[in-house]
Amino acid sequence: MRKLYLNTLLRYSHAKNFIVAVFPDGKTIPLLDIHMRLLQFVQKDFHYDNICNYIHTLDENLNADKVIECLLKERILLEKPLPYRWNSMSFGKSLVDENEINAIVSVLKSKKYFQYDNLTLDGYYYQPNSFGNLFESAVKKILNCQFFLTTNSGTSALDAILEGYGFSHGDEIIIPCFCYIGVPSVLIKRGIKPILCDVDSELMLSPDKVVQLITKKTKAIICMHYKGRAAKIIQLAEIAQSYSLKLIEDCAQSFGTIINGKALGTFGDASYFSFHPHKLITCGEGGGICTNNPRLYERLQLIIDASRLFAHQKMLPGIPGNNYRMSEIHAALGYIQLFRLQDIIKYLMNLYNAVIADIGEIRNIRIVPVEKNLYGGIQSVCLQVEDDICRKELLNYLHSLGVQAATLYDPQGLHHDIFLNWPYVMEKLQLTIKWKPHDVSLMNLYKESLTILQKTITIPLGINVSQQEAEALSADIKKFLVSYFPVNNTHTKEG
């Protein structure tokens, strides 16, 4: 019986292949719709007859043979399996087992889904063994910080910090032009003007560029730590102190990273974290705030939870609050996941080192370095390739192996971490009158950053990628690059 294979790599491609399959009556259906449904079928038997039967369950009028022919033509289905499974972007959520399930079930059975058992005019009381309390206390120890508060998302955490400092209309905050779209979104919502700044060759905020953007209206700097790496945090902290600015660390992608023996998130005045399913550990949805500032902490308690007002008598008459709380259900998942954090970080560090082991010997490319005094959950290998043709061919080669590699900036793609694809931000900042995809005028902005991002190939890592796969991929990439640059092809490991 003929067997076919699903090209799971297409999950990470840009939506440019919306090719349609034809019904007998001339109607059409996007092939990628079928592909996404087949992904749910991925562990099942991909024999030809089974796929035909499955396609008919989607719509009995579909010509299954014709659909499979189109799927094969577009490489959505394959005659042979890809050399690598490369199941990347798999972190804490992939490890969920009976431990997390039992913790969540215990919360459901308790009928107590709120972190506090009782709120009175003179105080508030934690539930006995509240997962929210356990989670906050455990993270405080990991970060070695004075205060940590959970929130329902990383974006909510940033919003609370901005409100906690009282930033408002007319203020300016410097942010990288390469970061999560939620960062400028929250600023704009509060009437704060985001001042976009170039990133450096390490893909994070350039301290030299930051200094050039500081004005009398500047109130803070937000620096993102990328995929387990650290921004130039010492220099940024010195700049912030010199200009009396607040330094806010975006640690959404770098929970648990330590540099020079100190946790990211504790260098600035405040920091925020995300526990989304794409992060190292997950609460399902969730976030948190770290600070060593008692006054900010007091304000944050009211901002995150308006119902705490009378629990803090010295704060009366108080300030307007929100409901950014994390539920006990989410905290239970997150607390159990914390016990997995160090194993995840260790595994990813080893995986990263395995992938770069052979690549680092090759001239004509640059590995975006991880500092030698850094220990963290590195979630990608980033290769900077100056030669346009080599970069394109290397990407094609990686895709042919089944590795979900991509450039950080593709002029034909849409990536919401790049300023070009922040429609309402671009219009609000009057950088364009009416935003449209692939706007040439916007491509003339922050050219240094776009050049860096465009030449950077990112190879995502994950705990479901094996050490053997990482070592084999390193050798395969070396073989490709040596054949492409056959002469004088060695240099130092990173840099």
Side-chain angles (χ1 to χ4, degrees), residues 162-315:
L162 298 176
E163 188 169 343
Y165 280 125
F167 300 141
S168 60
H169 288 271
D171 293 337
E172 295 179 353
I173 294 180
I174 297 170
I175 68 170
C177 64
F178 173 59
C179 67
Y180 176 51
I181 190 173
V183 176
S185 176
V186 170
L187 268 60
I188 286 175
K189 187 184 74 170
R190 290 199 162 274
I192 302 166
K193 184 177 181 180
I195 303 299
L196 277 53
C197 180
D198 274 307
V199 297
D200 58 22
S201 59
E202 273 67 54
L203 312 174
M204 291 168 282
L205 205 58
S206 166
D208 292 338
K209 298 290 185 180
V210 166
V211 172
Q212 297 172 21
L213 296 172
I214 295 172
T215 70
K216 292 181 179 179
K217 295 182 179 181
T218 307
K219 301 297 181 183
I221 301 165
I222 297 177
C223 70
M224 174 190 71
H225 300 297
Y226 179 69
K227 299 286 186 182
R229 296 168 172 82
K232 292 185 172 67
I233 192 64
I234 301 298
Q235 296 97 310
L236 290 170
E238 290 172 353
I239 292 168
Q241 185 175 21
S242 297
Y243 289 88
S244 301
L245 305 176
K246 299 300 181 185
L247 178 60
I248 301 169
E249 295 179 70
D250 178 347
C251 299
Q253 302 177 16
S254 298
F255 177 53
T257 293
I258 294 173
I259 186 166
N260 294 324
K262 189 173 181 179
L264 293 185
T266 61
F267 288 85
D269 298 281
S271 59
Y272 59 96
F273 298 80
S274 172
F275 303 112
H276 182 276
H278 288 167
K279 304 304 188 287
L280 292 189
I281 68 159
T282 184
C283 294
E285 281 283 6
I289 301 170
C290 163
T291 185
N292 290 319
N293 184 325
R295 175 62 177 168
L296 177 62
Y297 172 69
E298 289 174 349
R299 288 176 59 82
L300 286 171
Q301 289 183 93
L302 299 183
I303 292 165
I304 289 170
D305 185 355
S307 69
R308 293 187 189 184
L309 178 60
F310 289 105
H312 301 276
Q313 294 288 310
K314 64 181 180 180
M315 292 291 289

